[in-house]
């Protein structure tokens, strides 16, 4: 039997949103610990399931993949001490050198994502070159029927207004070359996350992201 996420996780996050201070958190740390342990068990099963189609994931430690709930407030005007979500990086993170996967748990705002998020400039340049050179292959991935149904478009955040230097202004892949992130996002309802078959259901959606990750990782193999 695979792990199931408890509704208590969302209950804890809702309470934390209303009481985002150290005193409340300290008094209710057992709620956090309980939620954390549940999520790690779920991630262990999810990683095992996803390793069936992406064996690289077998190297990931479920506990280490879960982001800390403590916010770094040193350079932020917002001094709220805790995040009001749980996030887990399965090979994907800010400045990552390769495509991976991500799980985000938050009441009413949960989602899963895949691809490369905010890659370093050297990595970004190589990915853009790959897209320019192998545009048809890239478009075939994005236009695949099942892929398109789940992910209508790549994330458009921080998109450049002009085609970056080093590429032809008339490059047919120009709109994609303007992107700074190459990620797809799939929104989840609370009931999707809490479903008894969530491990298998999420793994199926993550599997659809693998061709995109393979393409993004190709220049670095």
């Amino acid at each position: 039997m695979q792990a199931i996420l408890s509704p208590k996780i969302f209950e804890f996050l809702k309470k934390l949103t209303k009481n985002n201070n150290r005193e409340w958190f300290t008094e209710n740390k057992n709620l956090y610990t309980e939620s954390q342990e549940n999520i790690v068990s779920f991630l262990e099963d999810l990683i095992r399931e996803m390793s069936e189609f992406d064996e690289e994931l077998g190297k990931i430690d479920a506990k280490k993949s879960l982001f800390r709930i403590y916010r770094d407030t040193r350079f932020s005007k917002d001094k709220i001490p805790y995040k009001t979500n749980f996030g887990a990086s399965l090979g994907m993170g800010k400045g990552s050198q390769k495509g991976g996967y991500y799980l985000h748990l938050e009441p009413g705002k949960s989602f899963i994502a895949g691809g490369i998020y905010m890659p370093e400039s050297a990595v970004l340049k190589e990915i853009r070159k790959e897209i320019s050179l192998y545009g048809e292959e890239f478009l075939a991935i994005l236009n695949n029927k099942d892929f398109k149904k789940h992910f209508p478009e790549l994330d458009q955040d921080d998109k450049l207004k002009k085609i970056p230097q080093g590429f032809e202004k008339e490059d047919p892949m120009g709109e994609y070359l303007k992107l700074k992130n190459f990620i797809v996002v799939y929104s989840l309802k609370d009931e999707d996350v809490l479903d008894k078959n969530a491990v298998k259901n999420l793994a199926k959606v993550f599997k659809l992201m693998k061709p995109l990750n393979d393409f993004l990782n190709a220049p670095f193999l």
Side-chain angles (χ1 to χ4, degrees):
M1 174 104 179
Q2 290 181 318
I4 299 168
L5 291 173
S6 168
K8 288 182 180 178
I9 291 167
F10 286 155
E11 287 167 20
F12 162 69
L13 289 173
K14 284 175 184 173
K15 287 175 182 172
L16 178 59
T17 302
K18 289 179 182 172
N19 305 279
N20 203 326
N21 61 74
R22 287 183 178 82
E23 292 73 25
W24 183 89
F25 189 85
T26 303
E27 284 172 17
N28 294 274
K29 194 154 185 191
N30 62 309
L31 301 178
Y32 165 65
T33 305
E34 199 179 317
S35 296
Q36 185 188 38
E37 286 171 355
N38 181 199
I39 293 168
V40 169
S41 295
F42 181 84
L43 287 170
E44 284 171 348
D45 285 351
L46 182 60
I47 288 166
R48 203 172 295 119
E49 188 76 24
M50 291 171 68
S51 296
E52 295 289 320
F53 63 81
D54 192 337
E55 59 185 32
E56 282 291 305
L57 291 170
K59 301 170 187 172
I60 291 175
D61 181 321
K63 195 166 187 179
K64 288 180 183 172
S65 76
L66 192 62
F67 288 116
R68 286 162 53 85
I69 200 161
Y70 308 97
R71 291 183 67 246
D72 183 354
T73 59
R74 287 174 300 169
F75 309 108
S76 174
K77 287 180 182 176
D78 181 357
K79 298 300 179 185
I80 289 172
Y82 306 104
K83 297 172 188 170
T84 52
N85 65 75
F86 285 104
S89 165
L90 306 176
M92 177 183 169
K94 186 175 176 180
S96 177
Q97 305 305 304
K98 56 180 291 191
Y101 312 90
Y102 173 76
L103 169 67
H104 183 96
L105 301 174
E106 185 175 1
K109 298 178 184 177
S110 297
F111 65 87
I112 55 177
I116 286 186
Y117 176 62
M118 292 181 73
E120 293 175 2
S121 57
V123 173
L124 180 57
K125 191 172 184 181
E126 289 304 314
I127 291 169
R128 284 171 171 162
K129 278 187 200 169
E130 196 80 356
I131 291 170
S132 180
L133 283 169
Y134 304 105
E136 284 183 21
E137 187 185 330
F138 187 65
L139 290 175
I141 294 166
L142 301 188
N143 292 326
N144 171 277
K145 191 174 76 172
D146 284 340
F147 188 95
K148 192 104 179 154
K149 179 182 166 188
H150 289 79
F151 324 113
E153 66 173 4
L154 291 171
D155 180 74
Q156 303 289 308
D157 283 355
D158 297 326
K159 186 176 177 179
L160 299 174
K161 293 206 167 36
K162 295 179 181 177
I163 290 175
Q165 279 187 322
F167 297 93
E168 296 290 333
K169 285 188 176 136
E170 290 76 33
D171 192 309
M173 299 301 291
E175 287 306 304
Y176 296 102
L177 302 180
K178 293 176 186 176
L179 297 176
K180 287 188 180 180
N181 298 301
F182 298 91
I183 57 172
V184 288
V185 176
Y186 184 73
S187 296
L188 299 166
K189 294 175 182 169
D190 290 358
E191 53 264 38
D192 298 332
V193 174
L194 303 175
D195 190 284
K196 68 180 194 309
N197 296 312
V199 165
K200 285 197 177 299
N201 294 342
L202 296 190
K204 282 179 188 171
V205 183
F206 275 128
K207 189 176 181 179
L208 295 172
M209 301 173 184
K210 182 154 192 296
L212 174 64
N213 281 340
D214 289 345
F215 182 93
L216 297 171
N217 292 337
F220 312 104
L221 296 176

